[in-house]
Amino acid sequence: MSRSEAGEIRPLARHDGDPVFDEPWQAQALGLAFTLAERGVFTPAQWSQTLGAKHRQILARGAADNAQTYYEAVVSALEALICDSGKLSADLLDDRTRTWRRAYLNTPHGNPVLLSAGEEAR
Amino acid sequence: MSADPQKETGDIHHELHSHLPPEPALRVKAMESLLVEKGMLDPATVDAWVEAYSEKIGPKCGAAIVARAWIDPDFKARLLENGTEAVKEMETAGWAVAHLRVIENTDDVHNLVVCTLCSCYPHAILGPPPNWYKMAAYRSRAVREPRVVLEEFGVTLPDDIDLRIWDSTSELRYLVLPQRPAGTEGWDEERLASIVTRNSMIGTHRDLDPSAGSA
């Protein structure tokens, strides 16, 4: 009798039919990683080391062992490597993230979201 | 008290937030928009990758390679000798960023692929990895208790079969060449490819089912 027939939990096989990407941003994040590695912003070895380390850190903080956590690690690893390369600063990334958030909040649902909608009046 | 002004505000707040993407999505947008502005990224390249890996590049590419290896012994020999070079003969492969080594299952040997560090995988020929491949549970258990993991996937491996675990890296990826099942004699490449599962090329599936083949 296989484990599934015995009704035991099959934690891995249960995810076998999951879609490749749950949300478009996950695909964008991986696409960004591949594109930047191809452009030499970081090496594939740096990518796997950093992704592995970020993933372990997030799991160590108690995050669930699932796709959501994995893609959060992908985003953290990307940010770390981009900042390490000197291309962008962490402050700039934080600031731009806030601007996008405001842009979404300021844009009526259904309209295209433009970055300018999130820019604060100076 | 029926009216709770705080709750009402909360509901409105929720309405406003309903189309706000999750935090990591905003962070991806932030990186992408800044890199594009600085001329360090062509957004079309990322879009092309996403389109290719969401729709075109997937396990079917790997299945076509396996089917050709079953039919063409010379191709199979080249594939086992130097996977990276041999897959270039196929039209289907995607963007290769690492070397590929193809490892063959036999009556006495079963191969299982894992990436204990992160999620290295032959994306270029299998598309993005399944979610379980990226989970810490698989990455640790595939090494610690591989036969239990295989059981979970419905593969009961007799003790006398040699189980080999291959740990992928950013430099070297592995593809399992599953065994061609009996009952597929005379089939063409396309029909053979239709029975090759993604998991059989990772090693979490062993005995392919000829009845799954489209005539």
Side-chain angles (χ1 to χ4, degrees):
Chain A
M1 189 188 281
S2 80
R3 288 176 160 249
S4 54
E5 282 170 294
E8 287 179 40
I9 298 168
R10 300 158 71 234
L12 293 172
R14 205 177 56 209
H15 291 277
D16 204 32
D18 287 355
V20 171
F21 299 114
D22 289 328
E23 298 181 46
W25 67 265
Q26 300 174 340
Q28 291 283 338
L30 272 192
L32 200 50
F34 272 73
T35 308
L36 295 179
E38 273 230 321
R39 292 205 55 170
V41 174
F42 43 80
T43 66
Q46 281 174 312
W47 171 248
S48 57
Q49 290 289 344
T50 310
L51 175 58
K54 292 289 179 191
H55 199 186
R56 277 194 303 279
Q57 275 171 21
I58 297 174
L59 288 166
R61 290 204 295 264
D65 185 15
N66 59 22
Q68 176 74 21
T69 298
Y70 172 81
Y71 284 108
E72 280 172 25
V74 166
V75 173
S76 285
L78 266 173
E79 290 181 331
L81 288 167
I82 290 171
C83 292
D84 285 353
S85 75
K87 305 281 186 205
L88 299 174
S89 72
D91 286 347
L92 198 56
L93 282 173
D94 286 344
D95 191 50
R96 178 57 62 92
T97 304
R98 280 193 292 273
T99 307
W100 275 116
R101 185 182 299 107
R102 282 194 301 270
Y104 274 91
L105 292 174
N106 292 343
T107 305
H109 198 24
N111 292 23
V113 181
L114 303 174
L115 187 64
S116 54
E119 275 156 10
E120 280 177 318
R122 292 187 195 259
Chain B
M1 210 162 79
S2 60
D4 178 351
Q6 256 194 331
K7 184 185 172 291
E8 229 167 69
T9 316
D11 287 345
I12 294 163
H13 198 61
H14 180 76
E15 276 284 312
L16 284 172
H17 279 63
S18 58
H19 72 291
L20 180 68
E23 175 71 12
L26 293 171
R27 303 199 75 84
V28 171
K29 283 191 82 73
M31 283 187 267
E32 200 172 358
S33 58
L34 282 167
L35 290 167
V36 168
E37 277 167 32
K38 290 184 179 281
M40 290 183 290
L41 183 72
D42 176 0
T45 322
V46 179
D47 290 345
W49 187 94
V50 169
E51 194 195 335
Y53 281 85
S54 301
E55 288 159 29
K56 294 189 199 120
I57 301 168
K60 278 186 180 159
C61 306
I65 293 169
V66 168
R68 182 162 304 174
W70 284 345
I71 277 186
D72 179 348
D74 293 335
F75 175 71
K76 181 179 161 183
R78 291 195 295 279
L79 189 67
L80 294 175
E81 170 73 26
N82 186 340
T84 316
E85 284 302 313
V87 296
K88 288 180 187 165
E89 297 174 33
M90 310 290 292
E91 294 146 13
T92 47
W95 303 357
V97 292
H99 290 289
L100 179 74
R101 179 158 171 206
V102 180
I103 44 186
E104 186 184 15
N105 281 353
T106 66
D107 287 343
D108 309 314
V109 174
H110 184 78
N111 296 287
L112 180 67
V113 179
V114 65
C115 171
T116 56
L117 176 64
C118 54
S119 51
C120 297
Y121 187 77
H123 287 83
I125 44 178
L126 292 185
N131 278 337
W132 52 262
Y133 187 87
K134 301 178 288 210
M135 288 165 62
Y138 178 73
R139 288 159 34 224
S140 57
R141 291 181 52 214
V143 178
R144 205 173 61 236
E145 46 177 24
R147 281 172 195 266
V148 180
V149 168
L150 286 178
E151 283 267 339
E152 250 185 55
F153 282 95
V155 179
T156 304
L157 208 59
D159 287 340
D160 59 349
I161 290 188
D162 183 11
L163 174 57
R164 298 178 186 165
I165 315 294
W166 302 86
D167 194 356
S168 311
T169 68
S170 58
E171 305 296 326
L172 182 59
R173 318 278 163 111
Y174 298 96
L175 179 80
V176 176
L177 178 60
Q179 286 182 286
R180 179 174 176 170
T184 58
E185 295 74 16
W187 287 21
D188 66 16
E189 222 170 287
E190 198 176 333
R191 194 173 173 199
L192 283 171
S194 71
I195 62 165
V196 180
T197 62
R198 176 194 63 199
N199 288 6
S200 73
M201 295 180 277
I202 306 173
T204 50
H205 183 195
R206 180 167 169 89
D207 296 320
L208 295 174
D209 178 10
S211 69
S214 49

